[in-house]
Amino acid sequence: MVENTESESRKLLGRLRETMASNVAGQARLDKITQLIADSMGTEVCSIYLFRDEETLELCATEGLNRESVHQTRMRVGEGLVGRVARTGKVINTADAPSARGFRYMPETGEERYSSFLGIPVQRLGEMLGVLVVQSKDARNFSADAVYALEVVAMVIAEMTELGAFVGEGSAMSPLHQQSLLLKGVSGQEGAAEGHLWLHEPRVVVTNPIADDPHRELQRLNEAVDELRIGVDKMLEDTGSVDKEQAQVLETYRMFANSKGWMRRMEEDIARGLSAEAAVEKEQSLARGRMAQVQDAYLRERLSDLDDLSNRLLRILTGQGKDTGAELPENPILVARNIGPAELLEYGRKLKGVILEEGSVGSHAAIVARALAIPLVVRVGRITTEGLNGDHVLVDGDQGVVHLRPDDPVVSAFRDKIAMQAQAQERYASIRDKPAITKDGQRVNLMMNAGLMADLPSLQNSGAEGVGLFRTELQFLVRNQMPKRSELVVLYQRVLEAAQGKRVVFRTLDIGSDKVLPYMKPQDEPNPALGWRAIRVGLDKPGVMRMQLQALIRAANGGPLTVMFPFIAQFEEYRQAKEEVKKTIEREKKLGHVLPSKLEIGAMLETPSLGFAPLKFFEEVDFLSIGGNDLKQFFFAADRENERVRKRYDTLNVSFLSFIERIVERCDMSGTPLSFCGEDAGRPIEAVCLAAMGIRYLSMRPASVGPVKSLLMRVDLGEVRKIIADARHRGEQTVRPAVMNYLREI
């Protein structure tokens, strides 16, 4: 029975190939396909539905239903049995369609006459393109072999849709990769950029989905898999310098590469008429479909490994490697599913912007993008499948949106926005060397955040008065192994030299949560942001902390040194960390190394608990820096990576500002210098309110120094403080409307 089905499947695919090769219009080709499938499957009906937009399916061809309903019948995703297939990506096979859950009666098609229904998703690499349906009057469940055969055909339809074989009238049959698209994501780094798309991993295009000679295709597959296995074995042989975790990842690769089930399924696909490339891509599409459904992080990682192996195998079969010979376009906008910090740094400042299909606002890539001062938008669905190398693209990092192949009016409006930003930067340049003194004579010190040597030129260009936060973890994140102490000494020396005497606050290693070292064993924690991270790692594993402290002391070379510990939640943690500094100083003294002329040891206040620490803590700490990003998420119990809740709570909420005010008062009592570091420090309105609360040091990304300084120089902090107090007295939830009204009038 299987042999017969395979023979029929090959016969159908052969007829499909002839139809594809015929010189007919897209609609005629699609009509012919439905006729062939209905005839081959012995059904009265075959219909093909394609997406006309993200939420709507359109009947584009049919054999057996009323022809007048083509391009007229539409349904939402999830509506009817066809909509259910589109929403779930799963097959629906029923002998009694009218009684099935979700059945939708469509009188214009005559569909009510048919009892049996088989709906197959038409998808490519996890992206839904449409639904293939066969129906018959007799009540029957289609056999597993029949379902399998139609899945093979659906895969070919998906490939040919991608290649533009069905271009015709209407949105559902308009050419792919040509329409203008507005894609929404999440802002990872502010800014706006116009350029041309560059895929980090060029897409493999399967141009021959149907096999001429199944025996030859099996031979090609086996040869490619052998080459893949040899490559994986070679990687494992070269793992002498990697740790146990990396070796385990490669062992997983080898397990998948030698999976008999994986090979068997691809061999079966080839036996049914697919080419070797199409068989691999069919398995890859299924893996991506399962990946989207799986919640378990471990299983998702394993499916991701299988996806990566499939890509490697496809590149071997097609010869389409990562290096295609294409040159980086003018004003390149990098597009990737995800990307590591080291890979992003390799591109460097050549990039005008970055768009990621995955990623997060706190990811390593986001940190590097901020350091390079290029706009970044993350979680932009479909960008890697919709975009082609060289496509015109606009990146709006302020709004978190991407305009792919934009229309002229959109381009014109976007260029106006960029021009206005450029004009504003020119105005800010005129006040670059002036201090930020408010109308009522209050001096606010504006510092910049940094983490790479690439950041340091901005110290002079932005007008920042120093580095309020140097993220030392980036040098650990961009490597595949722990950096040597001597390497860190050289780096920290270069940072201090580039600062030209201005204050640099070095934050010790802040890892864990969303910053996991490639060579560090991952911690299986239900909530990493509240888990084993930052100072908790440093105190439990003091070896790395001591090595870093030694590097900082030696880099200071007898000059002043400022060190800050991250994520201090209680007084005792600060005392323990400070004790490590004392021990390191004593060791360095015995070794004959010159000691810093002045040593300041501070802490980051990122948890509400530290705001209620004993007054003795505030008296003992040399300085405090409020880590606004973490403090806000813990204060409101709102994960800053969760779009559903992170924008629900306002920094200018009365409760949050009252808590900031309490911290300011305690620092004033103890004479402790206090700064605020984070995204909100670089937002002019928020910065003005923080300054009104009494904070006199703000640390932000370099590009924000000008806008913040410009607004501070125009306001009276006493008036702003009174507005905040009045809003609080009225019981308002946020002071933003009242402050905005004041700012409009100045």
Side-chain angles (χ1 to χ4, degrees):
M1 178 63 187
V2 173
E3 281 298 319
N4 181 59
T5 303
E6 290 171 354
S7 176
E8 288 299 317
S9 176
R10 285 201 301 271
K11 192 184 300 180
L12 172 59
L13 288 180
R15 294 169 70 188
L16 278 177
R17 182 172 56 240
E18 293 173 9
T19 302
M20 297 299 184
S22 61
N23 188 22
V24 296
Q27 183 65 58
R29 185 179 284 125
L30 207 56
D31 291 340
K32 183 64 175 174
I33 288 172
T34 59
Q35 294 168 18
L36 290 176
I37 294 173
D39 181 55
S40 176
M41 297 296 293
T43 60
E44 290 89 355
V45 174
C46 175
S47 304
I48 295 175
Y49 297 80
L50 298 176
F51 277 94
R52 60 178 283 114
D53 57 48
E54 288 186 44
E55 295 295 328
T56 313
L57 288 156
E58 182 176 299
L59 177 63
C60 290
T62 186
E63 172 67 19
L65 299 182
N66 293 336
R67 290 296 178 92
E68 292 78 11
S69 62
V70 172
H71 298 305
Q72 302 302 313
T73 295
R74 296 168 187 167
M75 62 191 68
R76 306 285 289 177
V77 172
E79 182 182 10
L81 299 184
V82 175
R84 272 181 59 198
V85 174
R87 184 186 64 195
T88 63
K90 296 179 180 179
V91 172
I92 292 181
N93 183 4
T94 176
D96 186 7
S99 299
R101 178 173 62 87
F103 176 79
R104 175 191 165 190
Y105 173 62
M106 295 183 292
E108 71 274 16
T109 67
E111 186 180 28
E112 74 279 1
R113 300 194 304 268
Y114 302 101
S115 192
S116 301
F117 176 98
L118 174 59
I120 305 287
V122 177
Q123 54 187 333
R124 183 179 185 271
L125 300 182
E127 181 190 12
M128 287 294 303
L129 300 176
V131 179
L132 170 62
V133 175
V134 292
Q135 296 169 274
S136 63
K137 292 179 180 178
D138 59 312
R140 57 167 167 147
N141 281 110
F142 291 89
S143 69
D145 289 329
V147 172
Y148 199 109
L150 267 193
E151 286 180 329
V152 172
V153 173
M155 192 268 173
V156 173
I157 292 173
E159 283 300 326
M160 301 318 291
T161 301
E162 173 73 13
L163 293 171
F166 307 126
V167 173
E169 295 182 6
S171 298
M173 294 179 64
S174 58
L176 295 178
H177 312 300
Q178 292 184 26
Q179 306 108 308
S180 298
L181 291 175
L182 170 63
L183 301 172
K184 296 182 179 180
V186 176
S187 174
Q189 162 69 2
E190 296 168 351
E194 177 181 3
H196 297 91
L197 189 145
W198 179 256
L199 288 164
H200 178 57
E201 290 192 344
R203 288 162 52 199
V204 175
V205 180
V206 177
T207 57
N208 59 329
I210 303 171
D212 291 316
D213 181 354
H215 295 292
R216 172 61 186 141
E217 294 304 306
L218 281 172
Q219 182 182 349
R220 291 181 63 236
L221 177 67
N222 283 310
E223 289 172 355
V225 169
D226 286 342
E227 184 177 337
L228 176 72
R229 288 169 177 166
I230 290 170
V232 173
D233 288 342
K234 177 90 168 54
M235 283 192 289
L236 272 163
E237 288 173 10
D238 298 337
T239 57
S241 61
V242 304
D243 65 11
K244 182 179 176 182
E245 292 297 319
Q246 287 174 290
Q248 285 178 349
V249 169
L250 292 176
E251 283 288 359
T252 303
Y253 262 41
R254 179 150 69 180
M255 179 189 73
F256 278 130
N258 289 278
S259 168
K260 292 181 179 178
W262 188 42
M263 276 298 294
R264 186 186 68 252
R265 290 191 298 273
M266 291 188 292
E267 288 169 352
E268 289 174 350
D269 291 332
I270 290 173
R272 284 171 162 82
L274 289 183
S275 67
E277 293 91 330
V280 174
E281 196 168 270
K282 181 173 180 291
E283 281 302 304
Q284 188 179 19
S285 290
L286 291 174
R288 285 201 181 174
R290 291 195 295 270
M291 210 186 314
Q293 303 294 324
V294 169
Q295 298 298 318
D296 183 86
Y298 177 81
L299 289 178
R300 282 181 62 85
E301 284 296 321
R302 299 292 71 79
L303 287 168
S304 180
D305 292 338
L306 182 57
D307 185 51
D308 185 56
L309 271 183
S310 298
N311 272 332
R312 290 170 184 263
L313 188 54
L314 278 172
R315 295 189 190 285
I316 293 171
L317 282 164
T318 62
Q320 299 174 31
K322 287 188 178 182
D323 185 4
T324 62
E327 294 185 1
L328 206 66
E330 184 181 2
N331 298 324
I333 304 290
L334 183 70
V335 167
R337 288 184 67 194
N338 216 332
I339 190 169
E343 293 172 301
L344 187 51
L345 279 170
E346 285 180 14
Y347 286 101
R349 294 189 182 276
K350 291 178 289 189
L351 299 176
K352 294 298 180 182
V354 179
I355 307 167
L356 298 181
E357 198 162 282
E358 299 172 358
S360 66
V361 295
S363 67
H364 311 156
I367 294 170
V368 173
R370 291 184 195 116
L372 297 174
I374 53 178
L376 166 70
V377 182
V378 300
R379 299 180 196 166
V380 182
R382 302 170 26 236
I383 185 64
T384 58
T385 53
E386 291 285 359
L388 297 177
N389 273 348
D391 275 345
H392 188 196
V393 63
L394 309 175
V395 184
D396 190 336
D398 302 322
Q399 302 298 320
V401 298
V402 172
H403 300 273
L404 183 61
R405 299 179 290 267
D407 296 327
D408 288 344
V410 174
V411 174
S412 179
F414 195 82
R415 286 176 178 169
D416 287 345
K417 175 178 179 175
I418 292 177
M420 289 175 64
Q421 290 180 341
Q423 291 172 4
Q425 288 299 329
E426 289 178 10
R427 293 198 306 273
Y428 303 145
S430 67
I431 60 172
R432 182 181 61 194
D433 299 324
K434 296 180 180 179
I437 299 177
T438 64
K439 287 179 68 176
D440 54 336
Q442 300 296 315
R443 170 76 181 266
V444 182
N445 300 274
L446 304 183
M447 317 289 280
M448 63 169 262
N449 301 329
L452 298 166
M453 281 303 300
D455 292 322
L456 272 300
S458 297
L459 184 54
Q460 309 304 329
N461 301 333
S462 67
E465 299 175 59
V467 178
L469 169 65
F470 190 89
R471 305 180 183 93
T472 61
E473 61 272 7
L474 283 181
Q475 304 310 315
F476 290 77
L477 290 168
V478 299
R479 298 167 180 255
N480 290 322
Q481 58 186 18
M482 183 78 71
K484 296 177 181 177
R485 180 176 55 201
S486 58
E487 294 172 331
L488 294 178
V489 171
V490 172
L491 170 71
Y492 300 152
Q493 282 176 336
R494 290 173 61 199
V495 171
L496 290 168
E497 288 167 4
Q500 298 180 13
K502 292 183 178 180
R503 187 173 187 251
V504 178
V505 179
F506 290 96
R507 182 178 69 186
T508 60
L509 198 57
D510 185 6
I511 56 173
S513 186
D514 55 354
K515 291 175 286 197
V516 180
L517 302 182
Y519 41 86
M520 175 182 172
K521 183 178 180 180
Q523 300 299 310
D524 185 16
E525 297 181 302
N527 193 338
L530 295 172
W532 196 58
R533 55 174 291 200
I535 195 62
R536 297 167 181 176
V537 178
L539 294 176
D540 290 351
K541 302 286 185 180
V544 177
M545 182 194 288
R546 290 168 189 160
M547 183 266 284
Q548 190 178 23
L549 290 172
Q550 287 175 332
L552 286 166
I553 291 167
R554 295 178 191 183
N557 196 29
L561 176 64
T562 305
V563 177
M564 178 168 65
F565 293 109
F567 209 63
I568 298 291
Q570 57 184 2
F571 188 9
E572 185 57 31
E573 288 172 336
Y574 174 75
R575 277 184 164 162
Q576 290 175 22
K578 190 173 182 179
E579 188 61 31
E580 287 296 334
V581 178
K582 290 181 179 178
K583 290 178 183 177
T584 305
I585 288 286
E586 288 301 317
R587 276 193 214 99
E588 291 298 288
K589 186 176 181 180
K590 289 178 182 178
L591 291 171
H593 292 290
V594 61
L595 301 180
S597 58
K598 179 183 179 183
L599 178 61
E600 293 180 283
I601 306 171
M604 289 205 81
L605 193 157
E606 300 170 271
T607 64
S609 63
L610 200 61
F612 296 92
L615 186 59
K616 181 68 176 172
F617 164 73
F618 290 87
E619 294 170 346
E620 190 168 315
V621 71
D622 290 334
F623 66 93
L624 273 177
S625 180
I626 296 173
N629 297 342
D630 263 331
L631 181 63
K632 192 164 78 170
Q633 78 165 339
F634 297 138
F635 186 85
F636 291 112
D639 182 359
R640 62 186 172 123
E641 299 289 347
N642 187 332
E643 285 299 298
R644 289 184 175 181
V645 297
R646 82 182 185 99
K647 292 183 178 178
R648 188 184 186 99
Y649 300 98
D650 189 358
T651 304
L652 303 188
N653 179 287
V654 167
S655 300
F656 188 69
L657 288 180
S658 296
F659 184 58
I660 295 295
E661 186 178 43
R662 173 187 172 85
I663 297 168
V664 170
E665 289 171 352
R666 303 200 79 191
C667 286
D668 286 346
M669 289 172 61
S670 58
T672 306
L674 175 67
S675 66
F676 188 101
C677 172
E679 295 174 10
D680 289 319
R683 295 182 173 128
I685 298 170
E686 283 82 342
V688 164
C689 292
L690 291 170
M693 289 290 96
I695 294 177
R696 292 295 177 264
Y697 290 84
L698 299 171
S699 191
M700 63 202 70
R701 66 188 184 100
S704 296
V705 173
V708 169
K709 183 185 291 187
S710 176
L711 187 57
L712 281 169
M713 294 172 71
R714 293 162 48 210
V715 302
D716 183 318
L717 291 184
E719 292 178 358
V720 176
R721 187 174 180 86
K722 183 178 185 306
I723 290 167
I724 292 172
D726 290 344
R728 181 161 46 190
H729 180 71
R730 291 192 299 270
E732 295 179 7
Q733 180 169 287
T734 175
V735 305
R736 188 175 298 276
V739 173
M740 289 289 291
N741 287 336
Y742 163 76
L743 294 176
R744 290 189 190 101
E745 295 172 1
I746 63 173

